[in-house]
Amino acid sequence: VLPVVRERGRQVEYEVLVKANFSAKLSASGMVVTIPTPPSATTCRIKVSGAGKAKYHPEENALVWKISRLQGLQETSLTAVVDLAAMSKPAPWSRPPISLDFQVLMFTASGLLVRFLKVFEKANYPSVKWVRYMTKAGSYQIRI
């Protein structure tokens, strides 16, 4: 995730680029990118080029960008302009981090692979000779 945030008077401009740095054979699914906005935000104009849909949630003070599937080695971007309320004394904005949630099936970030698995079961349990790998983002945050 490569974020660029510019504060210009009563506007905040966002340019966020998401790149998938894994094999083209794999894909990330269920991606949710949460981009914080200032508490004084009133309206938002969003443009997504590539995959996904984005929406402004004023109750969370955030832009929520949902990408159902992103193929490996692809990238997608979001551009948004947030208008701020006119205030006599603007409150300082702490710029909380952007958070990202996703999962990648059949991928191990550590490279750990199961080569051999043997099941000892007295009840003649029918084992399936297949291992499913799934990488899920725990707490992935990017400072802006």
Side-chain angles (χ1 to χ4, degrees):
V1 177
L2 302 168
V4 176
V5 179
R6 293 183 203 98
E7 295 183 45
R8 297 192 173 163
R10 285 197 222 158
Q11 287 185 339
V12 179
E13 297 177 2
Y14 295 90
E15 292 177 17
V16 180
L17 177 71
V18 175
K19 290 183 180 182
N21 289 329
F22 46 84
S23 172
K25 295 177 184 177
L26 303 173
S27 65
S29 60
M31 288 183 74
V32 178
V33 183
T34 306
I35 305 163
T37 60
S40 61
T42 56
T43 59
C44 184
R45 295 181 300 280
I46 306 169
K47 181 184 174 195
V48 175
S49 57
K53 293 181 180 181
K55 191 173 181 183
Y56 173 58
H57 291 272
E59 64 278 358
E60 298 175 18
N61 288 328
L63 297 167
V64 178
W65 182 16
K66 294 183 180 181
I67 304 169
S68 60
R69 185 171 175 220
L70 185 64
Q71 199 68 30
L73 301 178
Q74 284 187 341
E75 60 184 49
T76 183
S77 65
L78 173 135
T79 305
V81 177
V82 176
D83 296 321
L84 305 176
M87 300 168 66
S88 60
K89 184 179 179 186
W93 182 39
S94 64
R95 286 194 177 203
I98 294 174
S99 64
L100 178 67
D101 186 36
F102 63 94
Q103 61 185 19
V104 181
L105 292 175
M106 301 309 293
F107 176 73
T108 58
S110 65
L112 181 69
L113 296 174
V114 176
R115 298 273 185 213
F116 179 76
L117 178 67
K118 191 165 188 170
V119 178
F120 292 103
E121 181 68 31
K122 291 182 181 181
N124 291 331
Y125 174 76
S127 62
V128 178
K129 295 178 177 149
W130 188 76
V131 176
R132 180 179 180 200
Y133 299 102
M134 182 174 74
T135 300
K136 181 155 175 51
S139 176
Y140 193 83
Q141 295 183 338
I142 303 96
R143 297 190 61 78
I144 54 175

